[in-house]
């Protein structure tokens, strides 16, 4: 059984999917801690409700605005909690340095598009869906992938397509991509990594 640490920034619906799939889809790991870079992230409440330890580490307030220090502190917490596999579940900061070296091929991210479309620096959250609608693609989806030093550039683990419908707004599309793709493939991808490391 591998120890999973989940990093979040917001609502935490992907964290909830992981919590709900523990013991069924997610058999080879269990969530031992949740770390947020925002003190107001609702995902913290979801973790508390599930009895999972939480920690807030903010780049500005706790790390003097220094990204290297932020990475050091997150890495130290992951090690303290004996984390084997890290999951970025709606974590809207780019990781680097020590954390990537320490956890090479053991960090999974969920991205709300079919990579290599609508990804890379600046493409996160609702913005991804705004751009997909603006471009006029007929199919989008989600990608679970390993994290390396290139934003959204690591090895793809799983992808799932979602059709765009007449009248979609970024908000409607975001919800459908979550329901039909993200919440399904993220627990599956985390299971694959837990089983293989
Ligand atoms: C999700 O749609 C996730 O794919 C996206 O942020 C949302 C977080 O929702 N992540 C990215 O855009 C990363 N580049 P959640 O907090 O409810 O899981």
């Amino acid at each position: 059984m591998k120890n999973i640490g989940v990093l979040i920034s917001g609502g935490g619906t992907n964290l909830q999917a992981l919590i709900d799939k523990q013991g069924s889809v997610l058999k080879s790991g269990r969530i031992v801690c949740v770390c947020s870079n925002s003190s107001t992230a609702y995902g913290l409440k979801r973790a508390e409700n599930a009895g999972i330890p939480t920690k807030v580490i903010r780049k500005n307030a706790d790390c003097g605005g220094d990204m290297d220090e932020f990475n050091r502190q997150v890495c130290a917490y992951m090690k303290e909690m004996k984390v084997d596999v890290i999951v970025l579940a709606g974590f809207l900061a780019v990781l680097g340095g020590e954390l990537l070296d320490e956890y090479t091929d053991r960090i999974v991210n969920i991205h709300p598009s079919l990579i290599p479309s609508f990804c890379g620096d600046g493409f996160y959250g609702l913005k991804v869906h705004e751009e997909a609608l603006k471009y006029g693609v007929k199919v989008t989806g989600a990608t679970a992938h390993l994290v390396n030093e290139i934003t959204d550039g690591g090895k793809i683990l799983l992808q799932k397509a979602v059709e765009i419908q007449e009248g979609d707004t970024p908000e409607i599309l975001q919800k459908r991509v979550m329901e039909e793709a993200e919440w399904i493939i993220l627990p599956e991808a985390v299971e694959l990594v837990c089983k293989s490391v």
Side-chain angles (χ1 to χ4, degrees), residues 152-178:
D152 300 322
K155 182 184 173 218
I156 290 174
L157 297 167
L158 294 171
Q159 290 188 304
K160 196 163 188 293
V162 173
E163 281 185 19
I164 286 169
Q165 292 174 11
E166 197 66 40
D168 269 351
T169 63
E171 289 79 7
I172 292 171
L173 183 58
Q174 180 180 51
K175 187 158 177 285
R176 187 171 335 105
V177 169
M178 284 175 159

Side-chain angles (χ1 to χ4, degrees), residues 183-196:
W183 301 340
I184 298 164
I185 64 170
L186 182 61
E188 290 175 354
V190 175
E191 171 62 14
L192 287 177
V193 173
C194 285
K195 232 169 35 188
S196 74

Side-chain angles (χ1 to χ4, degrees), residues 10-14 89-90 92 110-112 123-125 178 182:
T13 64
N14 279 288
L92 305 183
I110 182 73
H111 183 77
F123 283 91
Y124 58 84
M178 284 175 159
E182 295 184 44

